[in-house]
Amino acid sequence: MKLRLTERFGFLVSDTGRLYGRFFDLRARQQLGLSLAQCRLLGALAAHEGDGGLSQVELADRLDLTPMGVATLCDRMQAAGWLKRVPCLNDRRVNRIELLPPAYDALKSAMALGDELQRQAQQGLDAGEAKQLQALLRKVHGNLSELLSK
């Protein structure tokens, strides 16, 4: 019995994300000198800007990485001038991570790269189909997020 994994929702979504991520990582490294993980970290921080920054533990949770992995990533990005650690006023053991000005240009470039990859990935879909695909994926994302929060 040969399995047709591409007919299974979970496999198709996961494998599509894996392919998208690999292609983004390759292009980001070539064009921006940043990895997918670094771009995701910048995006997560920008999404929570004004909330007092995120801690390394919160970043690890949002990026599905280990705290040690995020610490190493932050070490490299801090050394490169992308971000800074700011001691938390309420807990001396915690550092909040904040973006530095050069990170915003890098994030803007990463988003443009993502837009181009999205156009390539959705080649053959008309505007309505692309909009419907995003709406359906948002519904599925919401359903799964709700399941995790229970």
Side-chain angles (χ1 to χ4, degrees):
M1 177 178 112
K2 184 176 182 177
L3 289 177
R4 290 189 171 92
L5 294 176
T6 57
E7 293 179 10
R8 302 194 55 82
F9 174 79
F11 176 84
L12 188 57
V13 168
S14 179
D15 205 44
T16 300
R18 179 188 65 81
L19 291 170
Y20 188 94
R22 283 181 69 184
F23 200 70
F24 183 94
D25 185 68
L26 179 67
R27 285 212 175 148
R29 287 175 188 275
Q30 290 171 343
Q31 296 176 21
L32 309 174
L34 294 170
S35 68
L36 170 62
Q38 289 171 313
C39 291
R40 290 181 64 221
L41 187 138
L42 294 177
L45 289 171
H48 294 304
E49 193 170 55
D51 300 341
L54 294 173
S55 71
Q56 288 177 189
V57 170
E58 291 167 329
L59 276 170
D61 184 54
R62 281 171 177 73
L63 300 175
D64 209 18
L65 297 171
T66 65
M68 183 58 83
V70 169
T72 302
L73 196 56
C74 286
D75 287 343
R76 288 195 319 256
M77 294 183 75
Q78 184 172 11
W82 299 106
L83 55 84
K84 67 178 178 178
R85 289 176 168 101
V86 178
C88 179
L89 299 175
N90 303 334
D91 188 343
R92 292 183 3 207
R93 298 167 296 166
V94 176
N95 285 314
R96 310 304 280 176
I97 312 299
E98 295 181 3
L99 295 177
L100 292 174
Y104 295 99
D105 290 334
L107 185 56
K108 196 171 171 183
S109 296
M111 291 176 70
L113 189 88
D115 291 343
E116 177 56 30
L117 181 52
Q118 178 181 331
R119 280 190 285 280
Q120 291 175 337
Q122 293 179 353
Q123 187 176 351
L125 300 181
D126 65 35
E129 289 171 325
K131 191 173 182 177
Q132 182 181 21
L133 175 61
Q134 285 205 331
L136 293 172
L137 285 173
R138 273 193 298 276
K139 277 186 183 179
V140 170
H141 183 273
N143 291 342
L144 293 173
S145 293
E146 189 175 313
L147 285 173
L148 275 176
S149 67
K150 288 183 179 180

